[in-house]
Amino acid sequence: MPISLTINGTAHEVDLPEDVPLLWVLRDEVGLTGTKFGCGVAACGACTVHIDGEAVRSCQVALSDVWGDVTTIEGVGTPDAMAKIQQAWVDHQVAQCGYCQSGQIMQAAALLAENPSPSDAEIDEAMQGNLCRCGTYPRIRAAIHTAAGKLKEA
Ligand code: FES
Ligand code: FES
């Protein structure tokens, strides 16, 4: 029986086995390829999306276990707060190869929703599960500080 999912505000009926990871559903079934496959074992963060605002590793969430509305990197431009985070990434030219960055932005957005003024240490702790083989960590941290400032102006 198809499983109902809401992704970026749109309802989907997904007719796949219950244990298919959400990452596969997003990329192969729904065609949202901004969320990346990196490790498949919750060790890199490339597949990070939000479920009801919580940052989760979509490679580890089975289709039948999705408990709320899913937001992917393709949905980030819609709410104003997410657009400001995305702009901070552009302003700091954070991306190098870019592969990890959708996961980085989704993790950062969840951090800023919970902690509007994170310190360097709090950023490092929140982001430690999101790996970047290009070593963009200093720019990610700077972009999070800029986004935090912009969000407070709102
Ligand atoms: S692909 Fe999911 S954490 Fe690496
Ligand atoms: S920008 Fe290349 S892996 Fe992070």
Side-chain angles (χ1 to χ4, degrees):
M1 176 190 285
I3 292 176
S4 302
L5 285 185
T6 300
I7 304 169
N8 299 336
T10 301
H12 295 267
E13 296 290 317
V14 180
D15 197 3
L16 288 171
E18 293 186 352
D19 60 350
V20 169
L22 175 60
L23 176 58
W24 268 247
V25 175
L26 294 172
R27 289 182 57 84
D28 293 350
E29 183 74 9
V30 185
L32 295 171
T33 55
T35 306
K36 303 302 184 193
F37 170 79
C39 64
V41 292
C44 77
C47 67
T48 305
V49 300
H50 294 177
I51 299 180
D52 281 351
E54 180 185 343
V56 299
R57 305 299 189 237
S58 61
C59 69
Q60 297 299 302
V61 179
L63 173 58
S64 59
D65 291 337
V66 176
W67 63 87
D69 290 357
V70 178
T71 305
T72 72
I73 191 69
E74 288 88 351
V76 301
T78 345
D80 191 44
M82 299 300 275
K84 286 180 176 162
I85 297 168
Q86 214 170 20
Q87 188 59 50
W89 247 250
V90 173
D91 292 347
H92 286 275
Q93 292 288 288
V94 172
Q96 191 161 319
C97 81
Y99 196 84
C100 72
Q101 296 296 336
S102 56
Q104 304 279 4
I105 289 173
M106 298 310 285
Q107 189 71 38
L111 165 65
L112 290 169
E114 193 180 295
N115 180 355
S117 303
S119 65
D120 283 348
E122 288 168 335
I123 290 172
D124 291 348
E125 186 182 345
M127 303 298 294
Q128 66 183 346
N130 288 74
L131 305 185
C132 175
R133 64 190 168 188
C134 301
T136 64
Y137 302 112
R139 296 203 293 275
I140 289 170
R141 189 197 275 172
I144 291 173
H145 282 303
T146 295
K150 293 285 181 198
L151 290 168
K152 273 183 237 150
E153 287 171 9

